[in-house]
């Protein structure tokens, strides 16, 4: 069984918190949904949230989380401190389902949101918002796979390394790097010490090179 990002006991709180934060950001603060997600990822809050830090996933409301993100990014804050309606619009669902998918897969929000864009999720709201979250997981998995470059290739190129340079520095074969980047070998099943070596050379977390 795949290891989840944190204990399931906190999942409902995490989904509610991120859903409310995104709803407040878009509908009350008037921030573009993708911009808010980008701000969230730019802070350490996203990383801590994804690790199950109870301060963020259950220790504050979605509105408080949103306002904290604004403060850390130097944004001015709206005066409103509550959401005036009781419906669960697309904006809420997007945050809600992103929290679920991150918990389910254990991937970082940074990795997920490079591939799952706000506009794409907004379009899927009508299809998925009343479905079991497992349907969204299946669809998101397909969307994550349907991309041109692997996370490993992106990280390698961002550091300016050739495949040969990365292989030599990490102490593994260049063929292994090639097979991972071509998706002929599943990097998620790679030996842990190989993943550690690659991540160390690239200066990133192991999660950032997983698929």
């Amino acid at each position: 069984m795949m290891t989840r990002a944190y204990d399931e006991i906190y999942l409902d709180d995490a989904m509610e918190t991120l859903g409310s934060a995104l709803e407040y950001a878009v509908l009350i603060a008037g921030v573009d949904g993708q911009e808010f997600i980008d701000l969230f990822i730019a802070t350490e809050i996203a990383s801590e949230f994804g690790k199950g830090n109870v301060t963020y996933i259950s220790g504050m409301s979605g509105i408080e989380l949103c306002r904290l993100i604004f403060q850390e990014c130097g944004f001015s804050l709206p005066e409103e401190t509550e959401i005036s309606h009781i419906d669960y619009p697309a904006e809420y669902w997007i945050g809600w389902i992103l929290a679920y998918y991150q918990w389910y897969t254990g991937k970082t929000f940074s990795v997920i949101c490079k591939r799952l864009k706000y506009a794409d999720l907004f379009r899927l709201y009508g299809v998925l918002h009343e479905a079991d979250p497992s349907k969204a997981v299946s669809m998101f998995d397909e969307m994550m796979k349907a991309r041109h470059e692997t996370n490993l290739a992106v990280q390698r190129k961002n550091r300016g390394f050739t495949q040969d340079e990365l292989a030599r520095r990490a102490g593994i074969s260049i063929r292994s790097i090639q097979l991972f980047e071509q998706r002929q070998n599943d990097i998620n099943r790679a030996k842990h010490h190989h993943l550690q070596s690659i991540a160390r050379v690239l200066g990133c977390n192991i999660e950032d090179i997983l698929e």
Side-chain angles (χ1 to χ4, degrees):
M1 179 178 175
M2 181 186 297
T3 301
R4 306 306 175 205
Y6 47 84
D7 196 311
E8 188 174 1
I9 194 173
Y10 298 111
L11 177 59
D12 286 344
D13 284 348
M15 294 167 71
E16 164 69 23
T17 299
L18 194 56
S20 297
L22 190 50
E23 180 181 4
Y24 180 79
V26 177
L27 298 184
I28 303 301
V31 176
D32 176 78
Q34 185 62 55
E35 183 178 3
F36 176 74
I37 290 174
D38 292 342
L39 291 174
F40 173 53
I41 292 171
T43 68
E44 284 296 316
I45 295 171
S47 176
E48 291 300 310
F49 193 105
K51 294 174 184 176
N53 187 325
V54 295
T55 298
Y56 302 111
I57 65 176
S58 62
M60 60 179 63
S61 70
I63 293 174
E64 290 170 335
L65 179 69
C66 178
R67 293 170 70 86
L68 179 60
I69 292 168
F70 281 177
Q71 287 177 329
E72 291 212 0
C73 295
F75 269 49
S76 59
L77 303 173
E79 295 182 0
E80 294 90 339
T81 57
E82 62 180 31
I83 299 173
S84 60
H85 54 79
I86 59 173
D87 296 329
Y88 297 119
E91 292 79 8
Y92 175 91
W93 177 80
I94 291 170
W96 183 87
I97 199 63
L98 277 175
Y100 182 88
Y101 188 66
Q102 188 277 325
W103 167 81
Y104 187 90
T105 62
K107 301 178 190 294
T108 64
F109 283 106
S110 177
V111 167
I112 291 169
C113 293
K114 284 178 183 177
R115 310 302 178 187
L116 304 183
K117 297 301 183 181
Y118 181 87
D120 296 325
L121 297 177
F122 195 93
R123 285 192 291 269
L124 291 172
Y125 169 72
V127 176
L128 295 175
H129 79 282
E130 293 184 347
D132 186 270
S134 61
K135 183 175 181 181
V137 167
S138 296
M139 188 170 292
F140 293 171
D141 282 347
E142 291 302 312
M143 293 169 67
M144 294 288 288
K145 292 175 183 175
R147 55 187 183 270
H148 298 297
E149 290 191 313
T150 63
N151 291 321
L152 174 59
V154 171
Q155 291 287 342
R156 175 178 61 77
K157 291 178 181 179
N158 285 345
R159 300 306 187 278
F161 292 147
T162 65
Q163 291 178 332
D164 182 58
E165 287 173 324
L166 174 58
R168 284 190 288 102
R169 289 170 182 253
I172 64 177
S173 71
I174 186 173
R175 186 58 178 157
S176 293
I177 299 296
Q178 291 171 337
L179 291 175
F180 288 145
E181 293 194 0
Q182 294 166 6
R183 295 194 177 90
Q184 293 184 43
N185 282 354
D186 184 357
I187 195 169
N188 297 336
R189 297 176 181 272
K191 294 178 180 179
H192 186 70
H193 69 277
H194 284 170
L195 294 174
Q196 283 184 316
S197 295
I198 293 171
R200 174 181 51 78
V201 172
L202 295 177
C204 64
N205 297 319
I206 289 176
E207 293 83 358
D208 294 328
I209 58 176
L210 298 179
E211 294 295 299

